Amino acid sequence: MGRMSPDVPLLNDYKQDFLLKRFPQTVLGGPRLKLGYCAPPYIYVNQIVLFLMPWALGGTGTLLYQLDILRDYSAAALSGGLMVITAAVIQLTSAHAKSKSVVVQRMTALNILAEEDEHEFTSCSGAETVRFLIPGKKYVANTVFHSGLAGLVCGLGTWYLLPDRMTSLYGSPGATAALFVFGWLTLCIAEYSLIVNTATETATFQTQDTYEITPLLRPLYIFFFVSVDLAHRFIVNIPALEQVNQVLHILFVLLPLLWALGTLPPPDALFFWAVEQVLEFGLGGSSMSSHLRLLAMFITSAGTPVVSYFIPSTVGVVLFMTGLGFFLSLNLSDLSLVFRRGVARPGVERGPKAFPGSCGHRFGRKECLLCTVVLGVALLEAGLLHHYAGVSQVSRSSSQSNLGYVLMALLSILWILGETQSIYIFGIFRNPFFPKNIQAVSVFSEKQNKLLKIGVVRWILLTIVSPLAMVAFLALDSSLHGLHSVTVSIGFTRAFRTIGVMRDRVRQFITKLQFAMTVLLASWTEKKQHRKITTTLCVLNAVFAPFVLIIIVFSALLSSPLLPLFTLPIFLVGFPRPGQSWPGAVGTAACVCTDTVFYQQMVPRLTVALQTAVAAGSFGPLLPGSHYLGRFEDRLIWIMVLERGYSYCCINVKGLELQETSCHTAEAQRVDEVFESAFQQEPSRTWFLNEHLGNVLTPCTVLPVKLYSDAKSVLTGIIDSHENLQEFRDDLVKVLVWVLIQHCSKRPSLQENIRRTENNREALPVVLPALNTSPYPKSLEDSDSLNSDTFHDWSDDCIFDDEPTIKNKKEKLQFKDRPGTSLPIPGSVDSQSADDRSTSTGPQNDLYRTMLLGFPAVDKGQREDAAFIPLVEFSCPQSHLLSVPEEWRSNCTPHSRITEASPLFPEDWYQFVLRQVECFHSEEKSGVLEEIAKDKALKAVYVHTVMACYIGLFGTDNMVPSPGQIVRVYSGGLPCSGTLDWLSEKPELFQLVQKAFRYTLKLMVDKASLGPVEDFEELMDCLREYERDWYIGLVTEEQWKEAILEEKPCLFSLGYESSMGVYTARVLVLQELLVHVGKLNAEAVRGQWANLSWELLYATNDDEERYSIQAHPLLLRNLTVQAADPPLGYPIFSSKPLPIHLC
């Protein structure tokens, strides 16, 4: 995505034509009167006839009523019945046309748009014509339901628009005629969308209309208008209702305009928005983190005043409402979890402690104790004060007045204490008590301790004192001592758990006004936002400023987003929607990539840090729908408050991409500037005002969070240094020795073998790869022989075991040939002599063939260079415990190559490592390790295995590796050879070899950066540190992700930057670092999301270079689009709702 310029089009040419065709269809309810090609005239005539059909049927009933042939309700019934029949015929015609198979030949068109919806029409009533005019319904049930609903709309609409009725309302024939004509136009638009062809609505909430809910939008609002008229018909002598009916009749003719502008919400959005508003402002609840929780809380809260109405005792009502209101303000999920645990196993502490991946702090004993104490005190206080107020009328009134002043003082103190916790007061003036020049965690923690003490006082006042003071104030109310009424029950319920609607609407008006001013001023002052029409738009906004203010007020009253069309200063009232702004469940979708794991590791730690900051008041008023932005290095954390209750809140955390596009980078740099000006200025240069006051982001505080710092460096001069590469080859052998010895010393069965061998000091023979120059023994005397009687006690699986089973260990082992018997060897291809030069048929060849067990077949004539395994005894009885597994001792590496490379084996280092092994716990530990270190047979085993692995990494060429070769081997690409096949068949050994190689590379980088390794002790410490604290691998490996989630202290990765042609290193270090957090203008976020929904779902403007996704330094437009829920947005991480307990 390139940087934005003023010439970026709002819509490309294709989308402009598309929108010019779609918008008239939306205005008229579905008729497609503007096509991208030439269609026969009957296509337009048929659509006009279908459009006016409801008017004709309703007009029939109206005419019969005006002629006094039918009563008003009979005329409405007649019109409705005719409409039902007509709708059924239309749907049956569509179904019949669908059943016909017609071959359509596409006509030649000049533009892509015409090709997409071009049809071939053969006749006025042909199947293709019917399918074009009437697409039909997807479900049979909807066919029946929508047809019946169409009749009901037509019948009630006829009744609603009777001329005599409107004349009685307005007393003007002219007004009656105008309302009659435009009113029936509104009805025709609604009916066409319902039964003929559904128009695409500008007010779109769901990305897909699976259950065909969209056709119900327009009839729904017609029913609302008609219901008010019916109420006025049957409920007389209510002047206010008559005035409302008069106003609604005028608004009725404006419904097509409201539908076209997208001001009226679709049914699903309207339902959840209404439930949320009633719950929050009518029943004293809060927005919920899911639709299911919202409905459950609404039903429970609505049932509370109903139950209280039937409680006979006033004291019982007070206690019931106090207790139940307190419980409903808690997180019911936590309460149910505590209850289930208590029922399952009472008195037992369940579950392990939270591990690094757990989501913060759970509802535990401390929170449960606090809630129990506050509830008990509140019930006792409410009961006693209610009883006391019933005795003394005079003291009750004066006490309640005094408590009112106390509450006002408490609110003022809480506001002052809360403002001291953030960097800015009112978002404008710098807080003099907040720490200055924050760059280190230790410095910030030391300076923050004083503010946290103030935060503790605020928490006590907010969590304990204020609720009890409110309970006392309400318990003294005089209305509680009278007879029960619905008004008292609902009012008492609401007063216990909510604030007024007025405060919320005023807050929304102020934030919407700030958002509108930011959009308007930025379009004029920001050069890159200035377009050709900017001057015109600014002038129009100035001229029609009162009208713009009316739009903002209307948007605030409806609690709907203020929609800036294409994010230009063209303001519309978006349709009301739930506080989450999106229809899907929270945290169910994200554009997952390799960087997602950073946010997965960060979120649990972040929630713990948020718990302290939110409880102290650093985030200001924590209201549902609030948005916050966190910043650390290249990571951007989007935090949204979903739910708020007593001593808890529920949030959703999203992670944005890590600066890949220029627009993202430009806005991220502006975010850095905003935070640096607030938190990282020198005291002498500190401003007392917010330098970025016009930005939608206002810095709040800094959070110490344990997370990974990400450092990338170029390895030029290190990985391509000949000296370093030479040392790398030598160090690799040492690291291989250390890795293999460490692995062998930590085998699970080692301790058991140690105990078994400590009681048996006999030296046992094992199979050992020899380094003799001869490919096989020259005579029987050159090697120990085996007794043929004992040979059958060896199996193919245990021939190389640490402790082979032998009948008689004390007698000397001999091996005799059994005449006429050949020994079948698994995997062998030839049971003849090993070499044509050998003519012996005695035990020598049999022994040689037996000892070749496990070796791959080789071509005839090459056996002289193949590895072989004679029997050799360890000089130390415990040596076999540290020997490599028997399946690793055989390989197809040429014996001469191993012999040639064996001088590279570091014998001093090998003995040093063995003496450091910590696997023996006997008193003679040092003596045993000394004997093992001097065991030449064990050394030969390690020489053979280590050098075979070394050759497998670099091949048979004894040359210094190149940087490209190192990168390939680091990534797991070994050179093609027989050794590669041998290693591939042994995954465990392959992983160890790869780990040793990566450790060696990390050692080379450290030596180049920190200096050479002085001695074996330092080298041992380095390798132990790698094993303990580091994961060294590739970013694309699954183990990399697991290491981050397990919070490995350090991670290292090697890569190659093809665009720059350089080798790079990436180092992650886990440490406690500072995350800057700021509060976003919630209405700016809602407005931009509303525009995003309109652009993508209605205008289908998904161009990656479109104007509304370009970088905007004040609105943070690109980041806001990213943070939207998929498929419209593309965050790389989105968490499930996370509860944060503020105790």
Side-chain angles (χ1 to χ4, degrees):
M1 181 183 301
R3 292 297 299 273
M4 194 199 72
S5 66
D7 299 328
V8 175
L10 301 178
L11 288 170
N12 57 37
D13 294 338
Y14 169 73
K15 294 299 182 181
Q16 288 178 12
D17 293 340
F18 177 79
L19 187 60
L20 289 176
K21 290 173 54 181
R22 170 170 280 190
F23 189 70
Q25 182 182 355
T26 301
V27 172
L28 296 177
R32 288 179 275 186
L33 302 180
K34 179 178 173 56
L35 302 177
Y37 54 93
C38 182
Y42 56 77
I43 295 297
Y44 303 100
V45 173
N46 286 343
Q47 292 185 86
I48 294 174
V49 170
L50 290 173
F51 179 80
L52 297 177
M53 185 66 69
W55 198 346
L57 300 177
T60 302
T62 302
L63 180 62
L64 293 176
Y65 168 75
Q66 292 297 120
L67 296 175
D68 291 331
I69 299 175
L70 295 176
R71 302 288 299 271
D72 54 354
Y73 55 84
S74 299
L78 176 63
S79 300
L82 293 175
M83 192 67 227
V84 170
I85 296 173
T86 304
V89 172
I90 290 174
Q91 294 301 317
L92 290 176
T93 305
S94 174
H96 177 70
K98 282 184 178 180
S99 63
K100 285 190 174 184
S101 176
V102 179
V103 179
V104 179
Q105 184 178 2
R106 187 177 300 276
M107 296 186 298
T108 304
L110 297 178
N111 58 75
I112 300 175
L113 185 63
E115 292 180 359
E116 289 189 352
D117 33 33
E118 183 177 333
H119 297 263
E120 180 179 323
F121 306 107
T122 56
S123 66
C124 178
S125 59
E128 179 66 22
T129 302
V130 174
R131 284 198 297 268
F132 173 78
L133 297 176
I134 315 168
K137 307 296 179 182
K138 292 189 292 185
Y139 306 106
V140 177
N142 282 338
T143 300
V144 177
F145 175 63
H146 291 179
S147 298
L149 191 62
L152 189 60
V153 169
C154 186
L156 293 175
T158 302
W159 204 359
Y160 186 74
L161 295 175
L162 288 175
D164 288 352
R165 178 62 177 171
M166 289 186 288
T167 301
S168 65
L169 285 175
Y170 300 100
S172 172
T176 299
L179 292 176
F180 180 80
V181 173
F182 289 104
W184 269 108
L185 185 62
T186 300
L187 282 175
C188 290
I189 291 173
E191 292 281 16
Y192 196 97
S193 181
L194 182 61
I195 62 171
V196 182
N197 184 23
T198 303
T200 303
E201 300 290 351
T202 53
T204 303
F205 189 55
Q206 300 282 353
T207 55
Q208 293 183 346
D209 188 18
T210 306
Y211 302 104
E212 296 178 316
I213 297 177
T214 303
L216 304 178
L217 185 150
R218 307 190 183 205
L220 176 68
Y221 292 100
I222 289 178
F223 284 140
F224 169 74
F225 282 76
V226 171
S227 64
V228 176
D229 182 69
L230 292 177
H232 180 224
R233 285 175 184 269
F234 298 106
I235 304 176
V236 295
N237 300 325
I238 302 180
L241 187 59
E242 181 179 0
Q243 294 175 1
V244 169
N245 195 17
Q246 290 175 346
V247 173
L248 290 182
H249 269 77
I250 298 175
L251 290 178
F252 187 80
V253 301
L254 299 178
L255 280 178
L257 177 62
L258 297 178
W259 289 331
L261 294 178
T263 303
L264 301 179
D268 49 352
L270 176 64
F271 173 75
F272 288 111
W273 171 82
V275 170
E276 190 174 85
Q277 294 295 306
V278 173
L279 174 63
E280 186 170 356
F281 303 110
L283 300 173
S286 166
S287 302
M288 293 287 114
S289 57
S290 67
H291 294 327
L292 183 61
R293 286 172 63 90
L294 178 65
L295 293 176
M297 182 61 73
F298 174 78
I299 294 172
T300 306
S301 300
T304 301
V306 176
V307 175
S308 68
Y309 181 78
F310 295 99
I311 297 177
S313 171
T314 57
V315 177
V317 171
V318 170
L319 295 179
F320 172 76
M321 299 306 295
T322 302
L324 189 58
F326 181 80
F327 276 113
L328 291 178
S329 67
L330 300 175
N331 189 356
L332 299 183
S333 299
D334 289 335
L335 295 181
S336 62
L337 181 62
V338 171
F339 177 77
R340 289 197 303 268
R341 288 181 174 180
V343 171
R345 294 183 63 183
V348 178
E349 184 71 22
R350 296 182 59 82
K353 294 183 178 179
F355 70 104
S358 63
C359 291
H361 184 72
R362 294 183 178 275
F363 189 82
R365 293 181 177 178
K366 182 176 66 174
E367 292 79 11
C368 187
L369 178 62
L370 172 66
C371 293
T372 303
V373 171
V374 173
L375 176 60
V377 174
L379 291 174
L380 181 62
E381 177 189 29
L384 292 177
L385 288 178
H386 178 74
H387 177 73
Y388 165 76
V391 175
S392 175
Q393 297 285 342
V394 178
S395 60
R396 175 179 64 195
S397 177
S398 60
S399 299
Q400 190 176 31
S401 300
N402 294 333
L403 278 174
Y405 291 115
V406 171
L407 285 173
M408 293 173 62
L410 272 176
L411 291 176
S412 302
I413 294 173
L414 287 172
W415 175 80
I416 295 173
L417 295 180
E419 291 295 324
T420 62
Q421 299 297 312
S422 59
I423 185 69
Y424 290 117
I425 299 174
F426 294 125
I428 303 175
F429 305 102
R430 187 179 185 87
N431 181 4
F433 302 103
F434 200 88
K436 299 178 179 62
N437 193 22
I438 304 167
Q439 294 183 352
V441 177
S442 58
V443 176
F444 172 75
S445 300
E446 181 180 352
K447 295 180 179 179
Q448 186 74 355
N449 286 334
K450 296 180 180 179
L451 286 181
L452 287 179
K453 295 177 181 178
I454 300 176
V456 171
V457 175
R458 178 186 177 275
W459 178 85
I460 294 173
L461 294 177
L462 179 64
T463 309
I464 300 177
V465 178
S466 295
L468 296 179
M470 180 61 74
V471 169
F473 177 82
L474 295 173
L476 295 173
D477 195 89
S478 58
S479 63
L480 302 178
H481 297 272
L483 296 176
H484 289 351
S485 65
V486 176
T487 305
V488 172
S489 297
I490 297 178
F492 188 62
T493 305
R494 175 184 174 277
F496 259 70
R497 293 177 283 118
T498 190
I499 60 175
V501 179
M502 187 61 67
R503 177 177 178 270
D504 178 79
R505 295 308 190 251
V506 170
R507 178 187 59 81
Q508 287 198 37
F509 172 77
I510 294 174
T511 53
K512 289 181 194 309
L513 184 61
Q514 291 174 345
F515 172 48
M517 293 300 296
T518 301
V519 174
L520 184 61
L521 294 178
S523 65
W524 179 261
T525 59
E526 291 287 336
K527 181 179 179 181
K528 294 181 179 179
Q529 309 298 326
H530 200 84
R531 302 178 60 84
K532 295 179 181 179
I533 61 173
T534 298
T535 303
T536 304
L537 292 177
C538 291
V539 171
L540 290 175
N541 275 274
V543 172
F544 295 98
F547 183 72
V548 174
L549 284 177
I550 292 174
I551 292 177
I552 296 174
V553 170
F554 190 55
S555 175
L557 292 176
L558 289 178
S559 187
S560 60
L562 180 65
L563 192 156
L565 197 62
F566 298 106
T567 64
L568 291 172
I570 305 173
F571 301 106
L572 302 175
V573 179
F575 66 86
R577 63 199 77 192
Q580 296 178 19
S581 297
W582 307 111
V586 175
T588 56
C591 303
V592 179
C593 65
T594 55
D595 295 325
T596 302
V597 66
F598 292 109
Y599 294 107
Q600 292 175 335
Q601 180 274 329
M602 178 192 302
V603 165
R605 300 288 188 177
L606 180 65
T607 54
V608 175
L610 284 173
Q611 177 182 345
T612 303
V614 172
S618 301
F619 284 72
L622 203 69
L623 302 175
S626 300
H627 296 265
Y628 298 87
L629 185 66
R631 177 68 168 168
F632 169 73
E633 289 186 351
D634 56 354
R635 271 155 271 181
L636 285 161
I637 307 105
W638 193 284
I639 304 171
M640 179 180 180
V641 181
L642 303 172
E643 186 178 328
R644 182 72 164 91
Y646 178 76
S647 72
Y648 89 97
C649 67
C650 196
I651 65 171
N652 167 242
V653 179
K654 294 178 181 177
L656 307 187
E657 64 181 358
L658 306 186
Q659 294 192 27
E660 296 180 358
T661 63
S662 58
C663 292
H664 178 105
T665 303
E667 292 189 357
Q669 289 177 351
R670 177 55 64 92
V671 171
D672 292 336
E673 292 174 6
V674 171
F675 284 132
E676 287 174 3
S677 66
F679 299 116
Q680 297 182 9
Q681 283 192 356
E682 296 295 334
S684 58
R685 298 180 55 193
T686 300
W687 289 69
F688 293 99
L689 297 177
N690 184 0
E691 298 179 34
H692 300 274
L693 184 59
N695 202 292
V696 296
L697 177 66
T698 302
C700 290
T701 188
V702 176
L703 301 178
V705 183
K706 193 173 184 180
L707 42 73
Y708 282 98
S709 62
D710 192 351
K712 298 177 183 178
S713 58
V714 177
L715 297 181
T716 303
I718 297 178
I719 197 173
D720 53 357
S721 169
H722 182 79
E723 180 181 355
N724 291 340
L725 294 175
Q726 180 67 39
E727 293 182 4
F728 175 88
R729 190 183 63 172
D730 299 336
D731 291 338
L732 176 59
V733 182
K734 296 180 182 179
V735 179
L736 276 170
V737 171
W738 183 84
V739 169
L740 290 178
I741 293 178
Q742 289 297 312
H743 173 78
C744 294
S745 65
K746 295 178 181 179
R747 283 177 291 187
S749 60
L750 181 62
Q751 299 303 325
E752 180 182 355
N753 291 336
I754 289 175
R755 290 192 297 269
R756 290 168 55 189
T757 56
E758 282 180 348
N759 299 326
N760 185 3
R761 311 294 290 184
E762 295 293 332
L764 301 178
V766 296
V767 177
L768 179 70
L771 296 177
N772 298 345
T773 58
S774 175
Y776 52 86
K778 296 180 180 180
S779 63
L780 288 177
E781 289 77 16
D782 293 338
S783 63
D784 293 336
S785 60
L786 295 175
N787 192 311
S788 62
D789 294 335
T790 66
F791 179 76
H792 293 286
D793 295 322
W794 295 68
S795 66
D796 292 340
D797 295 331
C798 67
I799 189 169
F800 292 123
D801 283 349
D802 290 336
E803 296 185 67
T805 304
I806 302 176
K807 287 184 179 180
N808 190 355
K809 297 181 180 179
K810 292 185 179 181
E811 66 181 6
K812 189 170 183 178
L813 302 177
Q814 294 181 346
F815 181 18
K816 296 181 180 180
D817 185 25
R818 191 169 288 183
T821 303
S822 61
L823 300 174
I825 302 175
S828 63
V829 296
D830 190 6
S831 61
Q832 302 299 321
S833 60
D835 197 304
D836 292 340
R837 295 174 297 176
S838 175
T839 57
S840 174
T841 59
Q844 178 180 351
N845 292 332
D846 291 337
L847 177 61
Y848 180 71
R849 288 196 300 268
T850 302
M851 292 302 104
L852 281 178
L853 174 62
F855 279 79
V858 295
D859 293 337
K860 192 172 182 179
Q862 296 181 0
R863 286 285 180 88
E864 66 274 9
D865 197 34
F868 68 97
I869 307 176
L871 289 180
V872 177
E873 294 183 354
F874 287 132
S875 61
C876 178
Q878 284 81 11
S879 294
H880 71 281
L881 299 175
L882 295 178
S883 179
V884 298
E886 63 274 8
E887 62 269 17
W888 297 357
R889 300 173 190 164
S890 59
N891 65 81
C892 60
T893 305
H895 175 67
S896 60
R897 184 66 183 91
I898 292 180
T899 304
E900 180 183 350
S902 59
L904 295 175
F905 187 83
E907 184 174 354
D908 294 343
W909 168 253
Y910 162 77
Q911 294 183 0
F912 177 81
V913 173
L914 282 180
R915 292 188 179 97
Q916 303 297 320
V917 171
E918 298 180 357
C919 60
F920 295 95
H921 304 288
S922 61
E923 297 179 355
E924 299 116 0
K925 172 185 174 182
S926 58
V928 171
L929 292 177
E930 189 67 28
E931 293 180 12
I932 294 176
K934 295 180 180 179
D935 193 330
K936 296 183 178 180
L938 181 63
K939 171 194 167 186
V941 171
Y942 275 97
V943 170
H944 186 277
T945 305
V946 169
M947 302 318 300
C949 295
Y950 175 82
I951 294 171
L953 292 175
F954 295 118
T956 57
D957 297 331
N958 188 16
M959 298 177 61
V960 175
S962 65
Q965 187 177 5
I966 286 182
V967 173
R968 285 193 299 271
V969 176
Y970 184 94
S971 303
L974 301 184
C976 296
S977 64
T979 308
L980 173 60
D981 298 333
W982 170 67
L983 279 174
S984 301
E985 294 172 358
K986 300 166 179 59
E988 188 177 14
L989 178 60
F990 182 84
Q991 292 177 4
L992 292 175
V993 172
Q994 189 177 53
K995 180 171 75 170
F997 187 90
R998 292 175 173 180
Y999 282 11
T1000 308
L1001 178 66
K1002 181 64 174 65
L1003 180 64
M1004 180 181 72
V1005 174
D1006 289 347
K1007 288 167 64 177
S1009 305
L1010 306 177
V1013 176
E1014 298 296 337
D1015 50 25
F1016 286 166
E1017 286 285 353
E1018 186 177 352
L1019 178 58
M1020 178 75 74
D1021 293 339
C1022 288
L1023 296 178
R1024 286 175 176 172
E1025 181 185 353
Y1026 296 160
E1027 184 75 15
R1028 180 183 66 252
D1029 298 335
W1030 286 79
Y1031 174 77
I1032 304 174
L1034 295 174
V1035 176
T1036 56
E1037 293 175 340
E1038 187 66 24
Q1039 292 84 352
W1040 177 275
K1041 176 181 177 181
E1042 294 174 357
I1044 293 178
L1045 295 179
E1046 293 172 0
E1047 295 193 342
K1048 199 79 170 177
C1050 305
L1051 292 90
F1052 175 88
S1053 175
L1054 177 68
Y1056 178 74
E1057 187 67 37
S1058 58
S1059 60
M1060 301 174 60
V1062 295
Y1063 299 98
T1064 60
R1066 185 178 185 181
V1067 178
L1068 305 181
V1069 179
L1070 183 66
Q1071 52 188 321
E1072 194 170 41
L1073 299 167
L1074 296 177
V1075 176
H1076 300 153
V1077 182
K1079 186 174 183 178
L1080 294 162
N1081 186 320
E1083 295 304 325
V1085 175
R1086 293 183 67 199
Q1088 293 182 77
W1089 281 356
N1091 174 72
L1092 176 67
S1093 179
W1094 181 88
E1095 272 200 76
L1096 267 64
L1097 298 182
Y1098 181 75
T1100 65
N1101 187 25
D1102 56 353
D1103 187 0
E1104 293 183 355
E1105 297 293 337
R1106 65 184 185 272
Y1107 173 81
S1108 59
I1109 202 176
Q1110 302 294 326
H1112 196 299
L1114 296 181
L1115 294 180
L1116 304 180
R1117 186 166 51 193
N1118 186 267
L1119 299 180
T1120 304
V1121 169
Q1122 288 185 49
D1125 281 6
L1128 305 186
Y1130 44 98
I1132 65 174
F1133 171 78
S1134 182
S1135 69
K1136 297 289 185 180
L1138 303 173
I1140 298 181
H1141 300 283
L1142 310 179
C1143 296

